[in-house]
Amino acid sequence: MGGAFLAAAVLARLGGRIGLPTIPLFILAGILLGPHTPGYTLLSNPHDLEMLSALGLVLLLFYLGLEFHLDDLKTGGRKMAIAGGTYLVLNVGAGLGFGFALGWGTSEALVLAGVLGISSSAIVTKILVDLKRIGNPETRPILGIIVVEDVFLALYLAALQPILSGADSLSAMLVDGGKAFGFLLLLALAARFGTKIIGKLMNTKDDELLVISFLGAAVFVAGVSEMFGVADAIGAFMVGLMLGSTASGERILKLVHPLRDAFGAIFFFAFGLSIDPGDLPSVFWPVVAAVVLTLAMNVAAGLAASRVYDFGTQATANIATTLVARGEFALILATMAAAAGLDKRLSPFIAGYVLLLAVLAPLAAGRSHWLARILPGPRGGKDGGGDDDGSGGGGKDGDKDQQQVPVSV
């Protein structure tokens, strides 16, 4: 475990010097030190980190639930719904079509629809902060699209779980689906009407007791969720949604942050351990085709969002390139697919796809002005920052805006 943390940290530090995000580097560390790569093997059995990896996944979604607020859907109203819905239709629809075109199976196609359709909120937010675009006018619709994706993801994973569990018949699938949605409904009602009671139970001035309490609640509900056919990560997300609205929400957010980073790194590292680089050549062309398709759909989604918000070409390019990244959610689906015994090509495909896009996204976002030059549309209108390099606002005004605009990670 110590070696895994140190290896991930060293590689992430090296990659950080050239502006690469940490997620693909954590995965790469796992690949390089795993049993399938020549040289030193840190862990010969990836299952040795299984529990720690599961904890990392739970904490990632728990943190997302803390950051997410139902009021976010009301901010931006109809425009946010249109932009987010258009993004999902284009990308999830293209992913589903791509999955069926590969011919790997119906369940595999449904997994690929989510893999190709959902952006990485962690990488997207990091790009916005690193490029000082938090105060840009196009950042609001970008965050709005992320919020809509988060809601869709929770429903999609809940619907996908009974399918991947291999229900024997339609009636069995409906029963499994009913149990899953019933449990989700119970959690949603608790989040809506039980905030005061939950807040009183969690309320303590002692940080140690608060950490133990929220960590126990997140892990316990995640485990119970699995018993009802709901992905453990979604159970943790719902707990985060409940606790984020309590008086202790801000403290919990700060206290869980280092835990999320530490065990989230182990989740990505453990995923890398399970990847055999020898399998990557067999999915090379499908990965390239999926990346090209994703880039095209993101440009189309950027154009649609800009039409809704009356943006110019630079803001359009910023939206299209910033949302390209795929990361933690794709790996969640890969974990679910592996547990369900789906096509073995899915894991190396998703690993290659996530690695390539996680590296390309920040590079493309930093050079979005190249894309802006060839996009159709007006050069005027509300635009993204106004700099020739498309890097967005900075300086005092950018810092001031950065404090005013909430970020949904």
Side-chain angles (χ1 to χ4, degrees):
M1 179 179 170
F5 276 125
L6 290 175
V10 169
L11 202 58
R13 281 172 176 262
L14 294 174
R17 294 183 178 181
I18 56 175
L20 293 179
T22 55
I23 289 176
L25 295 170
F26 293 154
I27 299 173
L28 183 60
I31 294 175
L32 294 176
L33 296 175
H36 307 295
T37 306
Y40 178 73
T41 298
L42 180 66
L43 284 168
S44 58
N45 185 6
H47 292 293
D48 289 343
L49 290 180
E50 189 171 9
M51 182 58 71
L52 294 174
S53 174
L55 182 58
L57 178 58
V58 164
L59 289 173
L60 280 170
L61 269 290
F62 174 70
Y63 184 87
L64 185 64
L66 288 170
E67 284 277 12
F68 180 82
H69 298 285
L70 293 177
D71 291 339
D72 290 343
L73 291 177
K74 301 176 183 178
T75 306
R78 187 176 63 88
K79 288 184 177 181
M80 181 193 294
I82 293 174
T86 302
Y87 188 91
L88 286 173
V89 168
L90 288 172
N91 285 272
V92 175
L96 185 62
F98 179 80
F100 281 120
L102 286 179
W104 291 354
T106 301
S107 296
E108 287 77 1
L110 291 171
V111 170
L112 288 173
V115 170
L116 272 66
I118 305 294
S119 304
S120 167
S121 57
I123 297 178
V124 167
T125 305
K126 184 173 177 57
I127 289 172
L128 291 172
V129 173
D130 289 349
L131 296 180
K132 298 180 180 178
R133 292 181 182 170
I134 292 295
N136 281 18
E138 76 275 5
T139 295
R140 176 67 68 179
I142 288 174
L143 297 179
I145 290 171
I146 291 295
V147 169
V148 174
E149 284 185 319
D150 292 345
V151 176
F152 171 80
L153 178 75
L155 298 175
Y156 189 74
L157 288 181
L160 195 61
Q161 186 73 19
I163 298 174
L164 296 184
S165 65
D168 297 330
S169 63
L170 179 61
S171 59
M173 185 180 298
L174 290 175
V175 170
D176 290 344
K179 287 167 55 180
F181 279 108
F183 185 71
L184 273 178
L185 180 61
L186 182 63
L187 292 178
L189 291 173
R192 175 66 180 85
F193 300 106
T195 303
K196 290 184 179 181
I197 298 175
I198 295 170
K200 289 180 180 179
L201 292 174
M202 284 288 164
N203 188 30
T204 175
K205 295 181 180 180
D206 191 320
D207 285 349
E208 179 184 11
L209 293 179
L210 185 59
V211 169
I212 295 172
S213 298
F214 74 68
L215 190 59
V219 176
F220 179 77
V221 174
V224 175
S225 296
E226 277 200 325
M227 295 174 60
F228 283 90
V230 177
D232 53 1
I234 295 304
F237 173 86
M238 296 301 294
V239 175
L241 194 64
M242 297 177 204
L243 298 185
S245 301
T246 65
S248 303
E250 289 297 326
R251 287 175 60 208
I252 294 174
L253 193 66
K254 292 179 181 179
L255 291 170
V256 77
H257 199 284
L259 293 172
R260 181 209 68 172
D261 288 345
F263 291 98
I266 292 296
F267 168 70
F268 296 122
F269 181 88
F271 181 78
L273 288 175
S274 65
I275 300 301
D276 185 349
D279 293 336
L280 293 178
S282 66
V283 294
F284 175 78
W285 290 113
V287 166
V288 171
V291 168
V292 172
L293 179 63
T294 300
L295 293 173
M297 290 299 102
N298 272 263
V299 171
L303 289 169
S306 293
R307 182 179 292 272
V308 172
Y309 285 88
D310 191 27
F311 286 147
T313 53
Q314 182 58 60
T316 303
N318 288 350
I319 293 173
T321 53
T322 302
L323 289 168
V324 158
R326 301 294 187 264
E328 61 274 18
F329 299 142
L331 300 186
I332 290 170
L333 289 168
T335 303
M336 292 174 62
L342 299 187
D343 196 301
K344 293 183 178 180
R345 290 171 291 185
L346 270 178
S347 288
F349 170 87
I350 294 174
Y353 176 75
V354 168
L355 279 170
L356 193 53
L357 280 183
V359 172
L360 283 178
L363 299 177
R367 294 158 181 80
S368 59
H369 55 287
W370 293 354
L371 176 61
R373 293 171 185 169
I374 62 174
L375 285 176
R379 293 297 187 261
K382 294 181 290 183
D383 220 330
D387 296 338
D388 290 338
D389 64 355
S391 61
K396 294 181 179 179
D397 291 339
D399 293 338
K400 184 178 179 181
D401 288 339
Q402 184 167 337
Q403 293 173 359
Q404 293 174 346
V405 181
V407 180
S408 174
V409 180

